[in-house]
Amino acid sequence: MVALAYVVVAVGTLTGMMSALDDRRGGGTEAAKPEVTGSPTPDRVSATPTVTKSPSPVRSSPRTSSPAPTRTKESPRPPVVSARLYRAPDSHVLDWVRAHPGDPRTPLIESRIADEPAAVWFADPTSATIASRVRAVTSGAAAQDRVPVLVAYAIPDRDCGGASQGGAPDLAAYDAWIDSFATGLGRGEVVVVLEPDSIAQSDCLSGSERTARFASLARAGRVLKNADPKARVYYDAGHSGWNPADKQADLLRQAGAASPDSSDGIFSNVSNFRNTADEIAYDRTVLADLGGPAGLGAVIDTSRNGNGPPPDGQWCDPAGRGIGRAPTLSTGEARIDAYLWVKLPGESDGCKGAPGTFSPSYAYDLASS
């Protein structure tokens, strides 16, 4: 479940920082823990819906831990965007930091969370304004020669009626929303995380409803990539503790994730806390099962997985989690295109505050662990 947090209203919440931060902060150590998603709130620069809700304890396929073929022998493909990610000027955490310069927690929250690039969520299904809201983020990123990460989160029956329920009223409205979203992309480099939970959590739909949703998702990928040839679109693979890799690959294939016309690969661990090593192994297995061009890759949400998942399987603002690997587009791992902060650390899944709201105490705990 994605608990929508600080969603984009006027400007996206992508905090752009050079991937050099990865090296500066020990770009190999996991410090980000469970990702938290909050229920949808009005789009604004840094709200990240909670996509944390995924079936409990691991049901991954046995092959989840076996690495897939490395990318060294894969067919040529444009390099994974540039070395810099965009940090938007507004977000819940930035708002809090600016408003509390004297709080003893501010320096740590600012340096470990606010200064990092994070994805910008678009969860308001209003077609009339989505193009301008997306454009505000992409144009801001282009002006700094940086790469924004955008999360499209408006699929009908979103989150199966959970904390982040909502979305467009029907698929026709969603298709129109995607068309408008695409016009705001511009022609620069951009990463699009397409509809967290929409595929892994599709079992609440009837067979015909699932087929219709997947057709709409496949269309969405084509529209986005046609609008901006430099856009990289990734599809929902859940995470290593959810569906078995072969099942997830089959669902992804039905949604168009194996087609280069609509997809650049998959994303996993959004708003969750799975270990990066487990996600790498799982994603490689999913990609191997998925088929399609050898160049398809994966991006992993490392915002809160530094300490791995809680032993009790809790997904809502669990204690003891921590910040994960710094966002970067250079992972050094075959078939892993990026580590991203899709869920912004400190934004509640719904237990430490309303879903998607910023909790300084939660943020401080994550940054301190």
Side-chain angles (χ1 to χ4, degrees), residues 127 130 171-181 219:
S127 295
I130 186 61
L171 289 175
Y174 179 71
D175 291 348
W177 186 84
I178 283 291
D179 291 345
S180 296
F181 185 108
R219 175 190 182 278

Side-chain angles (χ1 to χ4, degrees), residues 71 74 77 232 234 264-267 287 293-299 335-337:
R71 181 181 280 177
E74 293 171 5
R77 152 195 197 195
R232 306 187 68 80
Y234 295 88
D264 290 280
I266 62 176
F267 64 81
L287 288 168
L296 295 180
V299 299
R335 302 204 81 168
I336 307 302
D337 292 348

Side-chain angles (χ1 to χ4, degrees), residues 315-327:
W315 63 267
C316 186
D317 303 337
R321 303 311 91 204
I323 302 301
R325 302 188 185 197

